[in-house]
Amino acid sequence: MATVKLSLNTDQITEEFFEDTKLLGIVTTVKDYKFCWNLNNLLELDFRINHEIEIKLKRKRRLYFFSVYEYRDPNSSLCHYLYNNLHDGEFLLPEFKHLDFLWLMKNDTVTDDYLEQVKAWLREIPGVQLITELTNEKIKNKDYLIF
């Protein structure tokens, strides 16, 4: 009997997940819990860690867990997700080793003005050194961000 190999095509899932999203890369000198505390207190947001959507990757015969913080805007359907890009010396997105966090905005239209406002807010936070917008084309491992 012939063995049939099946493979899962995630292209459509990935495309739908990233539809109408904006993604920022952030470099900072502070730990994730302190960075979220600053976001919540200085910007009056409510980011909270969500263990249900934590990213688990197996690399080098080891499991790595990348925390994801979530904030749902109460005035719209916009959801904010803050991914920790580093865990125990391993990177969620190895092509962005210089970034500490990835801030994904989805489920509602994010205007250029709003995105610029978020960048301005981030610049006010102590320890933030760099903020850059990432396009989907720049991300090699998009499927690592899907939960």
Side-chain angles (χ1 to χ4, degrees):
M1 187 180 326
T3 304
V4 177
K5 283 190 173 184
L6 301 175
S7 64
L8 180 62
N9 184 349
T10 60
D11 292 342
Q12 184 177 0
I13 295 168
T14 303
E15 186 177 313
E16 288 174 6
F17 183 85
F18 285 100
E19 193 174 322
D20 291 329
T21 63
K22 295 288 184 179
L23 184 64
L24 295 176
I26 302 165
V27 176
T28 183
T29 57
V30 297
K31 299 275 186 189
D32 56 352
Y33 61 89
K34 181 72 171 175
F35 183 64
C36 281
W37 184 86
N38 282 329
L39 286 173
N40 290 341
N41 287 301
L42 300 175
L43 307 181
E44 297 180 9
L45 301 175
D46 191 23
F47 273 101
R48 296 185 183 258
I49 195 164
N50 186 337
H51 295 290
E52 293 179 11
I53 58 176
E54 182 176 67
I55 308 296
K56 179 174 68 170
L57 295 179
K58 186 173 185 177
R59 293 190 182 142
K60 301 174 188 172
R61 295 189 197 165
R62 243 186 100 192
L63 283 177
Y64 293 90
F65 299 90
F66 298 92
S67 55
V68 180
Y69 294 81
E70 181 179 25
Y71 167 65
R72 295 182 179 271
D73 190 327
N75 302 318
S76 70
S77 58
L78 184 62
C79 294
H80 301 264
Y81 300 98
L82 188 69
Y83 298 79
N84 198 338
N85 193 39
L86 178 65
H87 176 74
D88 205 19
E90 195 64 37
F91 293 91
L92 176 63
L93 296 182
E95 64 268 30
F96 296 116
K97 290 181 180 181
H98 61 286
L99 298 177
D100 298 302
F101 298 99
L102 306 160
W103 185 335
L104 178 75
M105 294 167 245
K106 66 178 282 150
N107 293 341
D108 202 352
T109 302
V110 176
T111 64
D112 290 338
D113 289 340
Y114 182 75
L115 193 63
E116 289 304 315
Q117 181 63 52
V118 170
K119 289 180 190 179
W121 290 336
L122 285 169
R123 287 185 193 100
E124 295 175 12
I125 295 179
V128 172
Q129 298 175 333
L130 174 76
I131 305 149
T132 185
E133 185 175 357
L134 304 174
T135 60
N136 291 339
E137 296 79 34
K138 290 182 182 178
I139 305 170
K140 294 178 187 174
N141 300 298
K142 289 182 208 170
D143 52 330
Y144 292 168
L145 299 178
I146 297 173
F147 40 81

